[in-house]
């Protein structure tokens, strides 16, 4: 199954599969009634401390990915990851985030972790 990333503000495609918001905080300017997501997996998001340290600084991206992968091994992120892995085996996943630069987001790291685990 496919695992892709997208901005939560993007219009969903008909073939998106399960749309999962992977941010700890609700996206600014997006009403919950207008959200086109199937699941909000806030427990899988990076900790507040890690998110603040990172600040989407490209110079910190590799260290962020390493630290985030470590966080994914501890609860409650590990359980949330297990749930997404199970869902990814049955359907396509779209990991959504409010982050403007998807290549610097936790969604990219998470996509890679899931893809590596189900392949």
């Amino acid at each position: 199954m496919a695992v892709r990333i997208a901005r939560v503000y993007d219009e969903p495609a008909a073939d998106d599969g399960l749309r999962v918001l992977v941010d700890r905080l609700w996206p600014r300017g997006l009403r919950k009634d207008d959200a086109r997501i199937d699941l909000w997996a806030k427990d899988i998001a990076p900790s507040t401390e890690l998110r603040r340290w990172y600040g989407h600084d490209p110079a910190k991206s590799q260290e962020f990915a390493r630290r985030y992968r470590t966080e994914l091994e501890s609860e409650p992120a590990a359980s949330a990851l297990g749930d997404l892995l199970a869902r990814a085996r049955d359907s396509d996943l779209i990991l959504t985030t409010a982050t403007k630069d998807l290549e610097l987001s936790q969604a990219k790291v998470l996509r890679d972790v899931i893809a590596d685990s189900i392949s």
Side-chain angles (χ1 to χ4, degrees):
M1 298 294 145
V3 181
R4 295 177 286 165
I5 57 176
R7 292 200 67 223
V8 70
Y9 305 106
D10 294 344
E11 192 69 31
D15 64 344
D16 268 358
L18 187 72
R19 291 177 57 88
V20 182
L21 177 61
V22 296
D23 290 344
R24 185 166 303 277
L25 304 175
W26 189 260
R28 289 183 184 171
L30 182 63
R31 293 178 1 148
K32 289 188 179 179
D33 294 345
D34 295 336
R36 294 186 182 107
I37 60 167
D38 300 303
L39 174 68
W40 182 13
K42 60 183 164 184
D43 286 339
I44 206 165
S47 66
T48 300
E49 296 80 20
L50 180 57
R51 182 177 51 81
R52 286 181 179 160
W53 170 83
Y54 177 41
H56 295 93
D57 179 350
K60 296 179 178 177
S61 63
Q62 287 184 333
E63 180 62 16
F64 168 75
R66 187 194 66 75
R67 291 182 186 189
Y68 181 39
R69 285 173 180 262
T70 300
E71 283 191 356
L72 290 172
E73 296 172 2
S74 301
E75 294 301 332
S79 292
L81 177 58
D83 179 55
L84 284 185
L85 288 171
R87 292 171 185 262
R89 289 183 181 98
D90 295 331
S91 68
D92 291 343
L93 290 183
I94 304 297
L95 306 177
T96 65
T97 180
T99 305
K100 290 180 182 176
D101 188 342
L102 292 175
E103 292 302 309
L104 294 177
S105 73
Q106 78 276 5
K108 178 190 180 297
V109 176
L110 188 55
R111 178 197 62 199
D112 295 345
V113 168
I114 294 171
D116 291 346
S117 296
I118 61 173
S119 60

